[in-house]
Amino acid sequence: MTDAINTERLALRPWNDSDVDFVYDLYSRWVVQRFIGNEPAVMESRSEAVDRLERFKALDHPVHGIWAVTRKEDGLPVGTLLLKPIPASGEEPLEPSSDVEIGWHFHPDHWGNGFASEAATAVLEHAFAGGLPQVVAVTNPANEASQSVCRRLGMEHRGLSKKYYNAQCELFVIGNPALAAD
Ligand SMILES: CC(C)(COP(=O)(O)OP(=O)(O)OC[C@H]1O[C@@H](n2cnc3c(N)ncnc32)[C@H](O)[C@@H]1OP(=O)(O)O)[C@@H](O)C(=O)NCCC(=O)NCCS
């Protein structure tokens, strides 16, 4: 069960079936998909959105989650926040590694408000309160907006890495402050 998380302006909640139109709208946009995956592609049918929503809802873990990020003032969905095991590079199909990644996909209507950073800050707090030793993030080297989010979160830039997703990505890492050496 994905825990609800509240921030000053946002409510992060589990996905539900009524979110399918938002999921389709979000992932059918090239500006959202262009830096995601080795062969970026937009969603082309509502049934793909239904399948994606089912996968979002299927993640059942006490700490990991895939949240619908909504605006508190009116409940409007604005994006997706993910905290889940990251696939290690290797033979396809890729297996999840023991490392946990944080990720964000926001609707372009809501970029430039600090929403991704606000939601991700809260999810990192949740991750560390749940005992995760560290969280990683990977971005396409050209995805400067996402790298800026990583920096706003205080993640350390480790440079280019081929460790995950069979792709060369910019790797960012943040350790659990409660586990840091004195
Ligand atoms: C990556 C992505 C989430 C970044 O979104 P974003 O809105 O730029 O990120 P933030 O939430 O951190 O917002 C920061 C921006 O809001 C502005 N802002 C406004 N109010 C703010 C506030 N209260 N707090 C922080 N920033 C604020 C900042 O100045 C900054 O704007 P700038 O980039 O013009 O300098 C977005 O581009 C996206 O969804 N892209 C498509 C999916 C994707 O590529 N995901 C990542 C895959 S690795």
Side-chain angles (χ1 to χ4, degrees):
M1 176 66 191
T2 299
D3 284 344
I5 298 176
N6 283 293
T7 71
E8 188 186 340
R9 296 177 294 171
L10 305 167
L12 283 64
R13 60 158 173 77
W15 292 92
N16 60 56
D17 291 342
S18 66
D19 293 317
V20 66
D21 290 333
F22 174 74
V23 169
Y24 188 29
D25 184 10
L26 180 65
Y27 292 105
S28 60
R29 291 170 184 265
W30 179 242
V31 286
V32 172
Q33 292 289 74
R34 63 188 160 159
F35 295 132
I36 298 176
N38 280 333
E39 292 174 18
V42 295
M43 210 176 250
E44 286 178 340
S45 72
R46 203 168 180 279
S47 68
E48 284 180 68
V50 171
D51 292 347
R52 181 75 61 94
L53 201 47
E54 285 310 311
R55 292 212 300 276
F56 285 173
K57 286 161 53 184
L59 199 160
D60 184 18
H61 187 274
V63 181
H64 307 160
I66 302 179
W67 289 265
V69 182
T70 66
R71 225 166 36 185
K72 256 185 184 170
E73 61 181 88
D74 55 8
L76 187 75
V78 295
T80 306
L81 220 298
L82 307 97
L83 183 74
K84 63 170 189 58
I86 185 170
S89 292
E91 275 184 34
E92 307 272 355
L94 300 185
E95 296 288 333
S97 72
S98 57
D99 295 335
V100 173
E101 72 169 327
I102 188 167
W104 32 75
H105 308 143
F106 278 67
H107 194 288
D109 286 356
H110 305 290
W111 295 356
N113 295 307
F115 284 166
S117 294
E118 185 170 319
T121 298
V123 166
L124 278 183
E125 280 171 14
H126 160 87
F128 294 144
L132 297 188
Q134 69 166 21
V135 173
V136 306
V138 291
T139 83
N140 182 304
N143 194 348
E144 290 176 13
S146 193
Q147 289 157 32
S148 294
V149 176
C150 294
R151 291 196 180 89
R152 279 185 206 103
L153 296 173
M155 301 186 84
E156 184 191 330
H157 185 208
R158 296 273 174 90
L160 288 169
S161 169
K162 289 187 176 168
K163 203 172 166 190
Y164 308 109
Y165 286 110
N166 283 347
Q168 173 145 286
C169 298
E170 297 291 352
L171 171 63
F172 292 80
V173 180
I174 187 167
N176 187 334
L179 304 179
D182 290 329

